Amino acid sequence: MEIVGLTKRNLEQAVNLVEKIFPSEYEEEAGKDELPASLNPDAYRDYLERTGITPGLKYWVAVEKGRVIGSVGLYCYKEDQGEADWLGWFCVDEDFRCKGTGTKLLLFAINEAKKHGKEYLRLYTTDDEDELDSHRLYEKYGFKVIETKPWTGRPELNLTEFIYELNLKAQT
Ligand SMILES: CC(C)(COP(=O)(O)OP(=O)(O)OC[C@H]1O[C@@H](n2cnc3c(N)ncnc32)[C@H](O)[C@@H]1OP(=O)(O)O)[C@@H](O)C(=O)NCCC(=O)NCCS
């Protein structure tokens, strides 16, 4: 497995993976827009304007034998871009989980965020059963919950949205 930058060549596979794991019909922000926006922000100006995401977003994929098996990205919101990067569309294909790929992608993104000199790395997650493995991973690497609120994506499921934060400056 290697982690490489998102490119036009691996974009379609990456979007298909992210859509499979986070169907965009339930998300205000969507991987199918955000991944291509990272390659061509001008073409996605409306999306970026609507979500408040700034144009410098960047995505990477985990690739095994030519197949995209995972994804992670970093983006900023206009409102807190001076202090925080946000972790985007972090996932590993179900057939390839529990082999350390998720850990490698998360540590890779933390390292990239540190290079940006920001104070915090933040992320959204929910208590959907499928996302609970990721909470253990976040907490293992020092992320703390800083906010909880009802998740508005699918109100009928009564899920809670969590914002996790890692203090990058406190990390050695
Ligand atoms: C979270 C996710 C990216 C982890 O990917 P992964 O490649 O399985 O991660 P790893 O192999 O590095 O495993 C991470 C930890 O979870 C544990 N784990 C992962 N899947 C597990 C499973 N199904 N059962 C038990 N433990 C599991 C691993 O043992 C490991 O724990 P450890 O570090 O204490 O040994 C993956 O489960 C995923 O894509 N989940 C759905 C999407 C998601 O929730 N994304 C984050 C939302 S914000």
Side-chain angles (χ1 to χ4, degrees), residues 21-22 90-92 96-104 123-125 130-134 136-138 140:
I21 297 177
F22 307 102
F90 169 47
C91 62
V92 170
F96 292 84
R97 287 188 192 160
C98 298
K99 293 177 180 172
T101 304
T103 301
K104 284 183 190 143
L123 64 90
Y124 299 104
T125 183
D130 290 343
E131 296 190 8
L132 293 179
D133 283 331
S134 72
R136 287 207 308 271
L137 199 51
Y138 299 141
K140 181 171 175 183

Side-chain angles (χ1 to χ4, degrees), residues 106 110 121 123 138-139 141-145 164-166:
L106 181 63
I110 291 172
L121 178 58
L123 64 90
Y138 299 141
E139 286 166 20
Y141 290 103
F143 285 83
K144 308 252 186 282
V145 174
Y164 272 91
E165 177 181 273
L166 178 69

Side-chain angles (χ1 to χ4, degrees), residues 2 17 22 34 50 56 73-74 108 116 122 124 132 139 148 152-153 155 159 161-162 167 169 171:
E2 60 174 339
L17 172 66
F22 307 102
E34 214 156 298
R50 179 171 64 75
L74 291 175
F108 179 90
H116 295 167
R122 295 179 178 144
Y124 299 104
L132 293 179
E139 286 166 20
T148 58
T152 52
L159 293 175
E161 178 176 279
F162 297 78
N167 185 331
K169 302 275 184 190
Q171 297 252 305

